[in-house]
Amino acid sequence: MSAAIQSWEVWMPIGPKAMVPAILFVKMKPLIGMKGINLFKISAGFWLLFQALPVTAQRKEAEKSKSQPNVIIILTDDMGVGDISAFGGTIVPTPNIDKLAANGLKLTHYYSGAPICSPSRASILTGMHPGKWNFVTYLDKKSHNKDAEQIDFLNPKAPSMARFFKNAGYVTGHFGKWHMGGGRDVTDAPKFDQYGIDEHASTYESPEPDPLLTATNWIWSDKDSIKRWNRTAYFVDKTLDFMNRHRAQPCFVNLWPDEVHTPWVPKNDAGEETLKPQSEAAFKRVLQEYDIQIGRLIDGLKASGLLENTIIIFTSDNGALPTFGSRSGGFRGSKLSLYEGGIRMPFIVSWPGHIPAGTTDDRSELHATDLLPTLSKLSGVTLPAAYQSDGVDRSAVLLGKPSFRKKEMFWEYGRNTIAYAYPKGTDKSPQLAIRSGEWKLLMNHDRSNVELYNIIEDPAEASNVAATKASKVNELSEKLLAWWKALPKLGE
């Protein structure tokens, strides 16, 4: 009987998974010395265990996927703090963005990774200082990039927040501006999938521009199927469609519109005079329409039942340009400047039921490189052990526990005079900056033009106290220069 039972168990016709417990049974038999019938019970028990393990793992994975929040990063282009009425702006009302703020948390000490688009975007995607990947200004044609001592596109081996989320079970999308490689004569930029992005609809400055947005070989054209004034609506539609089609798994989305970057091209009603694309009147119309589209996004998420489990980040890549009125929120500087007006951005985060609604954090500093470790922690995404972010996990801050950032923040803009001639006048800053607690120091690579500000007492950076704070200048300038010298340089 024993031999018969052994033979039957080995050939038991219950599918491929039965082979594992049958083999275990044969190996265990001489060790445990039980009767064949008891051995069958043990082997059957092992089979049930092995059958249950994948089912249990699948169930746990499904439960995790269902509980993991969706993530949407809305990265506005060239928006100053003063463009939003919730941050004190008076240019035009922005009721939908204000509503997002009322349902979430505002931070007043959020900093972009650079005062211009390409490096600031790279800092978000990689969670690292953009200079570590040789981004120092905006990407252009190859000759410009070489002259500016920077690369033509983001190395696909660089860390990518989208890839990290994809590897954790998220489906990933990028809808909007990219500007980290592609366009002009840069035809060899890596495709979106090499950065972990499943679906995309992007503009001319990308490796795979959407043909509906690029009828000609330029950033925009009157011939584009999607007109300039409808671009944000198009990206919102893409985002909502993407998330509704992938309801079975969590979604990670870069919603990176190219509003409110110039040229400002609002839709004209019949017989209406065409506004000049650099005029304040045109900007007001564009900003109003942008606010409407943010409202459409929120309403669409709510109607589809996705809003409650979606983390929404709303911010800007860098400061406003041109500036007028209150666009820089009372801060000195603009886009292209390391003064606060170029890097201190509006920041709103919403996650109903998790992030306290209607609150403002005037204490906690947050840097663009912090978004990757912070959103990973909030979403249950495990980062690779070898990954070393320049950011820090600030999830506790977003969940309503303010704290000072213990790690210092650094910036670089330009390694020579290429693309560094603007802005003119008092808004033109030195090339390097560090913020350490209440202190912010700016200087050039050669230690010239040293400026020191107590950024808490003097957020407008009106009183340079470098002459009276020699020890603080020495301390911070040494740290800043050591940081900059450690950055890789093109060709080294």
Side-chain angles (χ1 to χ4, degrees):
M1 181 177 176
S2 176
I5 291 174
Q6 182 176 356
S7 176
W8 177 61
E9 286 176 346
V10 170
W11 296 99
M12 198 159 43
I14 55 176
K17 290 178 182 177
M19 293 300 294
V20 174
I23 293 168
L24 284 173
F25 163 70
V26 172
K27 289 183 177 180
M28 290 174 66
K29 182 175 179 180
L31 296 176
I32 57 179
M34 293 183 179
K35 293 182 179 180
I37 188 65
N38 288 330
L39 283 166
F40 166 70
K41 289 179 181 178
I42 292 173
S43 68
F46 270 92
W47 174 75
L48 290 173
L49 174 62
F50 274 78
Q51 285 287 83
L53 280 175
V55 173
T56 303
Q58 290 170 6
R59 185 181 296 115
K60 286 183 178 180
E61 191 62 34
E63 289 173 353
K64 180 183 178 183
S65 294
K66 184 178 283 188
S67 64
Q68 284 181 292
N70 303 304
V71 174
I72 302 176
I73 300 175
I74 305 173
L75 187 64
T76 314
D77 200 0
D78 290 7
M79 173 174 268
V81 172
D83 289 342
I84 304 173
S85 44
F87 282 82
T90 58
I91 297 171
V92 294
T94 53
N96 292 296
I97 299 173
D98 297 351
K99 186 176 180 180
L100 183 66
N103 291 328
L105 169 69
K106 289 192 306 178
L107 267 72
T108 62
H109 286 259
Y110 170 80
Y111 289 90
S112 65
I116 197 165
C117 48
S118 299
S120 69
R121 292 161 191 270
S123 69
I124 290 175
L125 191 71
T126 66
M128 300 175 70
H129 294 302
K132 288 189 174 179
W133 298 99
N134 277 304
F135 277 81
V136 295
T137 184
Y138 71 97
L139 294 186
D140 202 321
K141 57 187 179 181
K142 290 185 176 182
S143 60
H144 166 273
N145 296 335
K146 182 179 179 180
D147 290 343
E149 301 179 50
Q150 65 176 359
I151 38 71
D152 293 322
F153 51 76
L154 179 63
N155 189 330
K157 295 180 180 180
S160 166
M161 179 156 34
R163 189 188 305 117
F164 292 158
F165 274 72
K166 178 180 173 65
N167 290 343
Y170 277 70
V171 60
T172 58
H174 180 96
F175 307 112
K177 183 175 178 178
W178 178 250
H179 211 171
M180 288 182 284
R184 299 173 178 86
D185 62 348
V186 181
T187 58
D188 55 345
K191 306 301 184 185
F192 279 105
D193 63 350
Q194 294 192 54
Y195 301 102
I197 294 169
D198 295 315
E199 296 185 27
H200 53 84
S202 193
T203 58
Y204 171 75
E205 293 167 317
S206 78
E208 299 173 89
D210 186 330
L212 296 180
L213 301 169
T214 50
T216 63
N217 190 31
W218 190 236
I219 297 169
W220 77 285
S221 165
D222 289 334
K223 297 178 182 179
D224 294 341
S225 297
I226 305 299
K227 303 304 180 186
R228 176 76 187 197
W229 53 83
N230 280 331
R231 282 193 174 197
T232 300
Y234 181 64
F235 296 137
V236 167
D237 289 343
K238 286 286 187 180
T239 298
L240 292 173
D241 173 68
F242 174 80
M243 295 183 67
N244 276 301
R245 284 189 291 106
H246 296 288
R247 301 175 69 93
Q249 63 187 121
C251 297
F252 172 89
V253 176
N254 284 332
L255 175 55
W256 292 6
D258 44 12
E259 304 293 9
V260 289
H261 193 297
T262 55
W264 299 314
V265 186
K267 182 179 180 181
N268 287 331
D269 295 328
E272 187 177 14
E273 180 184 359
T274 300
L275 298 173
K276 293 181 179 179
Q278 300 284 345
S279 68
E280 185 172 348
F283 171 73
K284 289 180 178 180
R285 290 274 298 278
V286 166
L287 181 55
Q288 286 175 320
E289 176 62 23
Y290 184 65
D291 181 74
I292 288 170
Q293 296 309 320
I294 298 301
R296 281 189 61 240
L297 173 71
I298 304 306
D299 290 344
L301 292 172
K302 188 174 182 179
S304 59
L306 295 169
L307 183 63
E308 292 300 310
N309 197 35
T310 299
I311 300 172
I312 299 174
I313 300 287
F314 180 95
T315 188
S316 176
D317 61 344
N318 48 249
L321 194 72
T323 56
F324 43 74
S326 62
R327 289 203 68 197
S328 292
F331 296 125
R332 179 180 180 180
S334 66
K335 176 181 179 178
L336 314 178
S337 170
L338 291 178
Y339 294 125
E340 297 289 277
I343 55 175
R344 189 157 161 180
M345 298 293 100
F347 186 90
I348 299 167
V349 57
S350 169
W351 187 16
H354 299 269
I355 291 174
T359 54
T360 299
D361 185 340
D362 291 317
R363 172 186 175 187
S364 306
E365 309 99 326
L366 189 72
H367 189 269
T369 57
D370 298 339
L371 293 183
L372 195 159
T374 298
L375 290 172
S376 298
K377 180 63 176 294
L378 292 174
S379 304
V381 171
T382 301
L383 299 176
Y387 171 63
Q388 294 183 336
S389 176
D390 289 316
V392 293
D393 170 19
R394 302 289 274 157
S395 55
V397 169
L398 299 196
L399 293 174
K401 297 179 180 178
S403 67
F404 294 118
R405 191 179 190 272
K406 296 179 181 179
K407 193 173 184 180
E408 288 153 336
M409 295 182 276
F410 297 89
W411 294 270
E412 172 192 32
Y413 177 49
R415 293 184 175 171
N416 53 39
T417 58
I418 300 296
Y420 184 63
Y422 302 94
K424 298 294 186 182
T426 58
D427 284 344
K428 186 176 184 299
S429 72
Q431 295 168 301
L432 302 175
I434 177 175
R435 177 166 173 185
S436 178
E438 64 184 326
W439 296 103
K440 180 180 175 185
L441 181 137
L442 303 94
M443 63 184 290
N444 289 328
H445 305 139
D446 60 3
R447 290 182 177 267
S448 64
N449 295 352
V450 177
E451 301 177 20
L452 180 68
Y453 302 97
N454 185 311
I455 213 65
I456 303 301
E457 298 177 357
D458 182 22
E461 294 167 292
S463 300
N464 178 9
V465 297
T468 60
K469 299 286 183 180
S471 64
K472 182 59 66 174
V473 166
N474 184 64
E475 173 197 347
L476 296 184
S477 61
E478 289 298 322
K479 289 182 178 180
L480 180 54
L481 209 56
W483 170 80
W484 182 75
K485 287 180 177 179
L487 293 176
K489 307 299 188 294
L490 200 66
E492 289 184 355

